[in-house]
Amino acid sequence: MSEESPREITRRLRSLFEGVLLGDDHAESVYFVLDPASGGPVAPVANWLLDENGAHEASDLVLMTPDENADSLQLLCRARAVRPDEFGGAYYEAHHAKPAEGTLCLLEVESIKAGLTLASGEDCCVPNPLVKVIGAICRAVNADRARLAEACDRALHVKPQAPICVGVDPDGLSIRARFGIVRIPFDIEPQNAEQALSLVADILARAGDRP
């Protein structure tokens, strides 16, 4: 195992959407998404793990992703229920297209273990700088779903039948397909919303071309 920088851990997290949540000697498979506002995971938590305020205050929940093995990222967390006015709940539903089993919570990450690296949650779970244009970018991409399917085929050699763009961050686009979430990466990291829109326009313009 090698050490990873916080930036490398952040990039890994942005590409992951499934894991195992461990709490009080109980393990449960969960889907999650990174909250654009805070960068922390949004995932369902069993109701019996939460207090009367919808919170788990002790930092003893562990989210292992993508699964429960030694090579997975291990996030040590607290939890609080997502408020109705928070974008994270809608973002979760857009990605996973089904109600959460349990209470949908924001996991506030204290630390992350990645192989030989132990990093702080503050350094790795960072707000999405494109949060204000996520909706605009998704609408632009979804205006031509056939072209989006071609873009997936070009970038990933997978052509979903009914893809829909559900998210964007500095590393790329999140596309929901019938078999799960796939990622179309950006060639470079956009420095602002305008550059992100330009990168997306280029991805769509090249859709159908062979790399």
Side-chain angles (χ1 to χ4, degrees), residues 34-74:
L34 296 186
D35 172 39
S38 68
V42 173
V45 176
N47 292 327
W48 61 269
L49 284 169
L50 304 174
D51 62 24
E52 64 275 11
N53 298 313
H56 187 96
E57 298 291 354
S59 299
D60 60 0
L61 297 177
V62 178
L63 176 64
M64 299 189 70
T65 179
D67 49 31
E68 193 176 359
N69 67 60
D71 296 327
S72 293
L73 294 176
Q74 302 177 37

Side-chain angles (χ1 to χ4, degrees), residues 81-137:
V82 173
R83 299 188 303 271
D85 64 334
E86 291 184 283
F87 183 38
Y91 208 54
Y92 176 93
E93 292 177 6
H95 277 70
H96 299 300
K98 57 184 176 182
E101 295 184 7
T103 297
L104 199 60
C105 290
L106 175 65
L107 303 183
E108 299 172 347
V109 180
E110 180 177 293
S111 62
I112 299 179
K113 186 175 185 296
L116 300 176
T117 303
L118 184 63
S120 73
E122 183 179 7
D123 288 341
C124 301
C125 296
V126 297
N128 183 344
L130 303 178
V131 60
K132 292 184 178 180
V133 293
I134 288 174
I137 289 176

Side-chain angles (χ1 to χ4, degrees), residues 117-167:
T117 303
L118 184 63
S120 73
E122 183 179 7
D123 288 341
C124 301
C125 296
V126 297
N128 183 344
L130 303 178
V131 60
K132 292 184 178 180
V133 293
I134 288 174
I137 289 176
C138 289
R139 286 191 294 273
V141 175
N142 291 327
D144 188 339
R145 304 274 290 282
R147 184 167 288 275
L148 175 57
E150 292 288 352
C152 291
D153 190 28
R154 184 181 192 280
L156 308 170
H157 306 294
V158 172
K159 191 174 183 179
Q161 291 185 356
I164 181 168
C165 182
V166 292

